[in-house]
Amino acid sequence: QVQLVQSGPEVKRPGASVKVSCKTSGYIFTSNGISWVRQAPGQGLEWVGWISGSDGNTADAERFRGRVLMTIDESTSTAYMELRSLTSDDSATYYCARDKGDFTRDFWGQGTRVTVSS
Amino acid sequence: QSVLTQPPSASGSRGQSVTITCTGTSSDIGGYDFVSWYQQHPNRAPKLIIYEVNQRPSGVPDRFFGSKSGNTASLTVSGLRTEDEADYYCSSYTGAGTSIFGGGTKLTVL
């Protein structure tokens, strides 16, 4: 069965960076991309970006451009999202999700809570 | 457009039907048939319930129906059940590999 397991909660200072991992299993990693979506406390879903599982090509939301770095490690079927220059507005739960090929996210990780606080 | 427009709340009695709308522009919903809907219960990850406007993943009951007209997509839930009470989010492809979500609708089953 398809599974996406994310790394644990993080607490960071303003200005720092955070790197969240998403280890996948149950499917051929290179056949699908991975999307990253975040949700601030009590707020809605926000699309952060997408990375291809086959060649590492990426697309990201304009508001994160230059601040987010998405990478993959095919050897471990793991995707990573690094967000730099954190502010309190970046405090949120970050989800990874498998892209089924039509810009649809069909399987989701459990979420990683990132807290930015001084 | 930073977010697709959804009503913040919707409600219906058990057994009845409710429709949630999602309004975008010709650059997102109106331009592509890549509209999806997600259901999210409190403190849970979102769950895909509709993709490509009106397709249901395996295991999603046919009480959930998706449609689109112009720049507006809709999700209709018929035969409302208490377990349908959740937040619902629409999403659309916006070109160049990017996507956008709606602001979310809290569905209450009376």
Side-chain angles (χ1 to χ4, degrees), chain A residues 35 37 39 43-47 50 58-61 65 95 100-111 113, chain B residues 34-36 38 40 43-48 50-52 87 89 91-93 96-104:
Chain A
S35 284
V37 177
Q39 186 171 36
Q43 303 301 308
L45 302 176
E46 181 177 24
W47 184 78
W50 167 91
T58 62
D60 49 41
R65 207 150 292 161
Y95 294 100
K100 62 186 289 293
D102 56 357
F103 313 105
T104 296
R105 281 67 64 175
D106 59 352
F107 290 92
W108 293 66
Q110 84 276 20
R113 176 73 65 89
Chain B
F34 294 129
V35 177
S36 51
Y38 302 85
Q40 186 181 35
N43 301 312
R44 300 293 298 272
K47 173 189 174 183
L48 176 67
I50 295 288
Y51 66 97
E52 293 178 12
D87 294 327
Y89 295 90
S91 179
S92 175
Y93 180 61
T98 64
S99 291
I100 192 172
F101 279 97

Side-chain angles (χ1 to χ4, degrees), chain B residues 21-58:
Chain B
T21 57
C22 171
T23 302
T25 69
S26 58
S27 297
D28 39 67
I29 291 176
Y32 308 94
D33 285 335
F34 294 129
V35 177
S36 51
W37 289 88
Y38 302 85
Q39 177 192 63
Q40 186 181 35
H41 287 106
N43 301 312
R44 300 293 298 272
K47 173 189 174 183
L48 176 67
I49 55 172
I50 295 288
Y51 66 97
E52 293 178 12
V53 177
N54 56 17
Q55 302 299 301
R56 279 185 306 276
S58 173

Side-chain angles (χ1 to χ4, degrees), chain A residues 11-84:
Chain A
V11 178
K12 296 292 182 181
R13 300 292 191 194
S17 298
V18 67
K19 190 171 185 177
V20 179
S21 68
C22 173
K23 183 169 177 57
T24 72
S25 60
Y27 73 98
I28 299 172
F29 182 75
T30 54
S31 296
N32 298 82
I34 295 289
S35 284
W36 291 92
V37 177
R38 79 177 187 180
Q39 186 171 36
Q43 303 301 308
L45 302 176
E46 181 177 24
W47 184 78
V48 176
W50 167 91
I51 184 166
S52 167
S54 60
D55 59 15
N57 281 342
T58 62
D60 49 41
E62 191 169 346
R63 65 175 293 178
F64 299 103
R65 207 150 292 161
R67 209 162 62 90
V68 67
L69 177 65
M70 292 170 286
T71 56
I72 55 172
D73 182 344
E74 289 181 41
S75 68
T76 60
S77 299
T78 301
Y80 299 90
M81 183 215 62
E82 181 178 16
L83 189 61
R84 301 182 285 261

Side-chain angles (χ1 to χ4, degrees), chain A residues 84-104:
Chain A
R84 301 182 285 261
S85 302
L86 292 169
T87 72
S88 57
D89 289 343
D90 294 315
S91 293
T93 296
Y94 289 76
Y95 294 100
C96 64
R98 189 183 78 159
D99 187 302
K100 62 186 289 293
D102 56 357
F103 313 105
T104 296

